[in-house]
Amino acid sequence: MGFKVLGKRLLMACVVIFCVSVLTFLATRILPTDPAALYAGPRASTAKIEEARLRLGLDKPLVLQYAQFAGKALTGDFGVSYRTRQPISKDIKKFLPATLELVFIAMLMAVVVGIPLGVLAASKPKGCLDQISRLGAIGMASFPVFWIAMIFQLVFFSWLNWLPLSGQFSRETMLFNPITVVTGFNSIDAILSGNWAALSDVARHLVLPALTLSLYPIALAMRMTRSAMGEVMQEHYITTATAMGLSRREILFRFALKNALPQTITVLGLTFAFSLTGAVLVEVIFAWPGIGSYVTAAILAVDFPVIMAVTLVGTVIYVLVNLLVDLAQASLDPRVALS
Amino acid sequence: MSINLRQLALAITAVCSLAVGPVAAADKNIFSATYGQGFIDIDPSSANSNEIALIANVYEPLVWYTPGEDGADATFSPALATSWEVSEDQLTWTFKLRDGVVFHDGTAFTSEAVKYSIQRTQTLDSGSAWIWWMVTDVETPDPLTAVFKLSDPAPLDLIASSAYAAWMMSPSIGDKDSAWFNEGNAIGTGPFKLRDYQPGVQAVLERNPDYWGGAPEGGIDIAVLESIEDSVLREQKLLGGQTDWAQNLETDNLAAIDAADGVRVNRAAAFQNFFGQFNTARPPLDNADVRRALSMAFPYDDFVNNIMGGTVTQARGIVPLGMPGHAADAVQYSYDTAAAKAALDAAGVAEGSLELTVTYTSGVPEAQKAAEVYKASLAEIGVTLNLEPMTWEAQWERAKADPAAAQDIFMMSWWPTYVVAYDFLSSLFHSSDEIAYNLAYYNNPDFDTMINDANGLLANDQAAAYAGFASAGKVLADDAPALFMYDTQNIVGINDSIKGYSFNPAYSGVVFLNKLSR
């Protein structure tokens, strides 16, 4: 993909982000609730509500309000949340890494577990492994995530007591061995500060939520790889490679997989962006202070600035991930670069 | 390959065994409480919600409200004030202050601190700051005497015991705003200091070794107050011993929690209730006979015992049971569809002709249940009820706009800022030109006079004031401007190893940490 194409894509991305920002802004202004009343809180007097209206600039024309909002958003200032009364950028900085940590692990699992299983399943179509993996994938993709989460808690905490119930770390770590915040990612911060006891505690807390969240991507990666591989394995060049006496392993992973990967990567890219705000069920059940819980609470409290900010941040990440996916496609498949 | 795997397994086991005992708890007595909702604003001047769970342990008021045991009258007990008196004209209140008290930063607690706290709260004028509206000045004749000058007579001892806006903070805070507090700063005189604060997630408190009141034997060293959104998770943490105290548990699971080893369920009457205000500004609900008929059409027993699982009690009038000024001899309506039907007939409402609309806040399960149950039972007497759940803001906006076009029934919950029956009687039913919470649009000049007279007696003759509130409450119940559904109970789960827990209905949600031991 040449620079010209890349520039075009970036421009498109900016247009998408602009449109989303206008839409979210308008949506929050059309709804029949008064943001000033929300900001002033319940049992506020009329005078207090009017004061809030002035403070929030809600008395100004809509275009001016949007310009102000957009101008500040560009500098990373999304204003103050009505609900938490904290600067939204500060909230997002705190909650986003917690979710990213889970989503990264889930994606890693999809790549490390899902793709190889898909390849193996495709190596012997209708074979034993193919059937089992198909059944497993259907199960993983169709069981509701909240149900699986609670079953995991029941088995691994209540019955076996192997893993912690919820949260990011234990009370002891929090009180007596706190992790120095560097990146906001607990596991990385624990490594950076050499806090090994905290790292193992963090890892133990990560297992259940990350596993729960990874089931769907694993299933997806497995099935996508399996079906793409199924097509590729019918190609003549595979037959040729087999005839030339190349090992089965080399054919599967070196020649077939390379052509099957683009589809899987596209789907995983979409899943990644979706999981960011879609992880809310997992976050609530495991009391994981992530961005999904944050935006859900904001939606329930009609906390407009937060809804707009998270939507925008989500859009940016979505667009970026898709751009990365396209770049990855191009590096995998020279034909993409030509278009 | 197999050796490598074995080495790997050994390594993993080693890491995991490290994980089992992270770091010794250093023999600290740690207490955890789990709330259903996070703390948002911990500025003691403006905090107006469950943040008092934190604030009441870090700060102290001048006076505590102490509920009476076994039906005895409530008392006001000394906190940072040791005694107080009111002048003949009720416009001057003199508080003698506790000697030798210091704030967490070492600043001495004096009358200047009282003056500073009241003035800061008045200037900020946020949350419940209105409780001090009649205070014109705080004089400081000497360090241990604070004199409050009032524009109107008011029961200042009662107001000083408020759960909101009545906390004493250090003058060293100066002109810092709420944002400073919400970054995790607090300077009070209480038995605990704020060690770490993450808004909406958790707060960590640690014992203040210099607390004037000392500590109980086996007292708590560190307290973690956290918020967990999911009620099932709160329950799991309680049962698994990961938290010592949890609130807002699932009604259906209370029996199982009580039966489980190591935990118990604590129930106590709360000063909070749930009701539906009838639109008395519009026919046919302007007719008290119709309202009484509708009051007989709610299945109280069934709702209280089966739907709410006995976690609430049927209300008698608007002032909750246990609160001074509760009308013990007020009429309590009972479910009787035949009588309700007959009363509607007598009032000239033809069967099948009455169609009513109820509004309530969406996402509040008990409101949803109450509205649905009422709809079904009203259908039996030929009255149609339309349910309109919406956000609180939308519900309130509509009710305030125009009574003639507003809802017929407005369902909501109420609790007082400080413990006084007048808060319920006046806020909800006193006539006024500007509509705030009298969403029954009730206008009864006799009733207004009764409650205002009683309120005027509060400063000098509490017994007479409470009697006055009770007789006004009786008039109100008889007039039925609202469907009085139920009084709430405070229900929490608590670990058996914790001693000294009791619920004070004036400070809902507060665990008084300095009374606990393990």
Side-chain angles (χ1 to χ4, degrees):
Chain A
M1 191 153 41
F3 282 112
K4 208 170 165 187
V5 182
L6 187 66
K8 223 171 170 181
R9 295 298 307 269
L10 278 172
L11 198 70
M12 271 303 288
C14 291
V15 172
V16 168
I17 292 166
F18 172 73
C19 291
V20 168
S21 76
V22 172
L23 280 178
T24 45
F25 178 81
L26 284 181
T28 57
R29 290 301 187 274
I30 304 169
L31 283 174
T33 26
D34 181 1
L38 291 168
Y39 182 83
R43 292 201 192 180
S45 64
T46 321
K48 285 264 156 216
I49 294 174
E50 286 315 310
E51 202 184 302
R53 196 181 309 286
L54 288 179
R55 184 181 304 173
L56 297 174
L58 292 167
D59 53 331
K60 300 201 173 79
L62 217 56
V63 181
L64 206 66
Q65 285 188 41
Y66 174 77
Q68 263 179 356
F69 160 74
K72 283 189 173 171
L74 281 177
T75 65
D77 177 5
F78 293 106
V80 173
S81 156
Y82 299 164
R83 189 181 62 88
T84 68
R85 308 266 152 163
Q86 298 285 319
I88 295 168
S89 48
K90 191 174 146 192
D91 277 351
I92 291 182
K93 246 180 242 161
K94 192 168 74 188
F95 295 122
L96 191 58
T99 302
L100 281 177
E101 206 166 15
L102 285 186
V103 176
F104 276 140
I105 294 177
M107 288 301 134
L108 194 72
M109 297 279 280
V111 171
V112 174
V113 179
I115 293 179
L117 276 179
V119 172
L120 291 179
S123 70
K124 272 201 195 120
K126 303 256 164 73
C128 186
L129 188 69
D130 191 25
Q131 303 289 15
I132 290 174
S133 76
R134 185 200 309 272
L135 217 79
I138 291 171
M140 286 194 269
S142 53
F143 279 121
V145 69
F146 57 87
W147 183 82
I148 293 190
M150 287 194 277
I151 293 298
F152 278 169
Q153 286 181 328
L154 187 69
V155 174
F156 292 103
F157 171 75
S158 298
W159 291 352
L160 300 172
N161 205 12
W162 284 358
L163 290 165
L165 179 66
S166 64
Q168 287 183 292
F169 31 68
S170 66
R171 198 171 66 177
E172 283 67 27
T173 298
M174 188 260 296
L175 289 176
F176 305 111
N177 191 21
I179 300 166
T180 327
V181 179
V182 186
T183 61
F185 292 82
N186 282 320
S187 44
I188 296 175
D189 288 352
I191 294 172
L192 288 179
S193 54
N195 192 342
W196 307 117
L199 178 65
S200 69
D201 188 40
V202 164
R204 277 161 46 82
H205 281 79
L206 264 170
V207 174
L208 290 186
L211 190 64
T212 311
L213 198 63
S214 68
L215 291 183
Y216 182 73
I218 289 178
L220 206 62
M222 200 153 87
R223 294 311 299 161
M224 282 308 294
T225 312
R226 162 69 184 85
S227 80
M229 286 284 286
E231 281 169 33
V232 174
M233 292 300 280
Q234 307 294 323
E235 300 277 346
H236 292 312
Y237 76 93
I238 297 293
T239 321
T240 315
T242 315
M244 286 173 75
L246 289 177
S247 80
R248 189 74 180 153
R249 196 156 143 189
E250 202 171 2
I251 291 172
L252 279 175
F253 286 93
R254 189 162 157 212
F255 294 105
L257 180 60
K258 200 173 172 186
N259 279 338
L261 262 186
Q263 294 184 35
T264 311
I265 289 179
T266 308
V267 176
L268 282 183
L270 291 173
T271 316
F272 175 89
F274 174 78
S275 298
L276 277 183
T277 46
V280 55
L281 286 174
V282 175
E283 288 174 10
V284 168
I285 292 172
F286 289 103
W288 197 266
I291 200 82
S293 305
Y294 179 61
V295 75
T296 307
I299 291 169
L300 291 177
V302 214
D303 192 345
F304 291 141
V306 173
I307 300 172
M308 293 198 297
V310 175
T311 311
L312 266 186
V313 171
T315 310
V316 171
I317 294 178
Y318 211 95
V319 167
L320 281 181
V321 167
N322 274 304
L323 201 63
L324 283 178
V325 165
D326 287 348
L327 289 176
Q329 304 274 34
S331 73
L332 279 171
D333 186 347
R335 284 170 303 176
V336 175
L338 294 174
S339 59
Chain B
M1 188 70 178
S2 66
I3 293 168
N4 281 346
L5 273 180
R6 189 175 295 169
Q7 282 172 339
L8 186 68
L10 276 173
I12 291 173
T13 318
V15 171
C16 287
S17 56
L18 264 177
V20 175
V23 167
D27 280 342
K28 293 280 188 190
N29 197 343
I30 305 169
F31 172 81
S32 301
T34 304
Y35 289 84
Q37 189 196 340
F39 304 144
I40 302 300
D41 178 17
I42 59 164
D43 181 338
S45 287
S46 60
N48 213 18
S49 187
N50 69 342
E51 295 86 6
I52 55 164
L54 179 163
I55 292 173
N57 286 298
V58 175
Y59 301 87
E60 291 171 292
L62 290 174
V63 179
W64 288 117
Y65 173 94
T66 315
E69 299 280 330
D70 303 321
D73 276 345
T75 54
F76 298 98
S77 50
L80 289 176
T82 50
S83 66
W84 50 91
E85 57 184 30
V86 59
S87 68
E88 195 68 40
D89 62 1
Q90 296 188 34
L91 293 175
T92 305
W93 283 78
T94 307
F95 288 86
K96 289 286 175 197
L97 307 180
R98 196 173 291 280
D99 197 2
V101 176
V102 286
F103 285 101
H104 297 159
D105 68 343
T107 309
F109 170 73
T110 62
S111 52
E112 283 300 332
V114 178
K115 185 184 172 100
Y116 168 78
S117 300
I118 303 297
Q119 286 185 345
R120 180 177 187 277
T121 301
Q122 282 184 322
T123 310
L124 215 60
D125 193 22
S126 176
S128 294
W130 57 266
I131 61 171
W132 303 107
W133 68 270
M134 75 301 284
V135 175
T136 54
D137 193 21
V138 180
E139 291 172 0
T140 54
D142 68 72
L144 294 181
T145 310
V147 180
F148 285 67
K149 293 290 185 186
L150 274 51
S151 62
D152 293 79
L156 213 61
D157 47 355
L158 224 158
I159 295 169
S161 74
S162 167
Y164 312 96
W167 308 100
M168 294 296 129
M169 57 206 106
S170 170
S172 58
I173 291 165
D175 55 2
K176 303 225 171 47
D177 60 2
S178 293
W180 180 78
F181 286 90
N182 293 327
E183 280 160 19
N185 296 299
I187 312 177
T189 57
F192 282 80
K193 296 181 186 183
L194 183 60
R195 170 169 144 174
D196 178 53
Y197 176 62
Q198 294 174 39
V201 180
Q202 67 169 20
V204 179
L205 309 184
E206 65 183 350
R207 175 163 290 289
N208 166 17
D210 303 321
Y211 182 57
W212 60 268
E217 185 79 19
I220 305 300
D221 298 308
I222 295 175
V224 180
L225 312 180
E226 62 175 356
S227 121
I228 300 272
E229 206 177 322
D230 184 30
S231 63
V232 178
L233 188 54
R234 284 198 293 278
E235 180 183 328
Q236 287 291 321
K237 289 195 82 160
L238 180 73
L239 294 175
Q242 298 200 326
T243 188
D244 298 307
W245 182 97
Q247 64 161 200
N248 293 359
L249 299 163
E250 286 291 322
T251 310
D252 296 342
N253 298 354
L254 288 173
I257 296 171
D258 217 2
D261 279 344
V263 288
R264 63 184 190 274
V265 172
N266 182 298
R267 298 160 188 259
F271 292 159
Q272 185 176 352
N273 55 10
F274 187 75
F275 50 88
Q277 286 161 300
F278 292 124
N279 186 339
T280 64
R282 196 172 62 199
L285 295 184
D286 59 344
N287 182 347
D289 288 329
V290 175
R291 299 196 299 263
R292 282 184 208 114
L294 295 179
S295 295
M296 289 187 278
F298 187 80
Y300 300 97
D301 285 343
D302 200 29
F303 190 77
V304 162
N305 295 320
N306 299 332
I307 293 174
M308 299 298 284
T311 58
V312 299
T313 54
Q314 185 187 343
R316 185 185 288 277
I318 194 64
V319 178
L321 179 70
M323 186 159 167
H326 169 77
D329 55 353
V331 58
Q332 192 177 40
Y333 296 92
S334 44
Y335 183 50
D336 187 340
T337 43
K341 216 168 179 172
L344 277 184
D345 276 345
V349 176
E351 191 174 343
S353 70
L354 191 53
E355 187 171 336
L356 302 171
T357 302
V358 60
T359 59
Y360 56 94
T361 308
S362 47
V364 178
E366 53 272 29
Q368 175 85 32
K369 288 176 188 167
E372 280 168 3
V373 164
Y374 202 30
K375 181 188 171 86
S377 62
L378 281 178
E380 285 178 34
I381 60 167
V383 176
T384 310
L385 184 66
N386 300 316
L387 311 190
E388 291 194 10
M390 52 187 88
T391 63
W392 162 256
E393 286 74 22
Q395 187 193 4
W396 195 36
E397 279 301 316
R398 180 176 161 189
K400 282 193 297 183
D402 177 17
Q407 75 293 327
D408 295 294
I409 305 170
F410 188 100
M411 285 190 177
M412 72 164 157
S413 181
W414 194 261
W415 61 95
T417 302
Y418 56 91
V419 184
V420 62
Y422 188 70
D423 194 319
F424 282 88
L425 296 164
S426 172
S427 306
L428 300 171
F429 298 106
H430 195 298
S431 62
S432 89
D433 294 331
E434 194 193 339
I435 301 165
Y437 297 101
N438 179 0
L439 303 171
Y441 321 110
Y442 187 60
N443 188 345
N444 181 347
D446 292 342
F447 169 78
D448 291 352
T449 313
M450 284 177 92
I451 59 173
N452 289 334
D453 287 351
N455 197 43
L457 293 171
L458 256 183
N460 276 346
D461 190 347
Q462 286 186 348
Y466 293 151
F469 288 138
S471 37
K474 200 176 159 187
V475 169
L476 194 77
D478 191 50
D479 217 14
L483 176 71
F484 305 110
M485 283 178 276
Y486 62 80
D487 295 344
T488 321
Q489 280 189 313
N490 179 71
I491 298 179
V492 299
I494 184 162
N495 193 293
D496 278 338
S497 66
I498 298 295
K499 296 179 192 73
Y501 174 74
S502 69
F503 174 70
N504 185 336
Y507 309 97
S508 187
V510 176
V511 180
F512 288 95
L513 297 171
N514 202 34
K515 292 185 176 158
L516 303 185
S517 60
R518 182 194 324 252

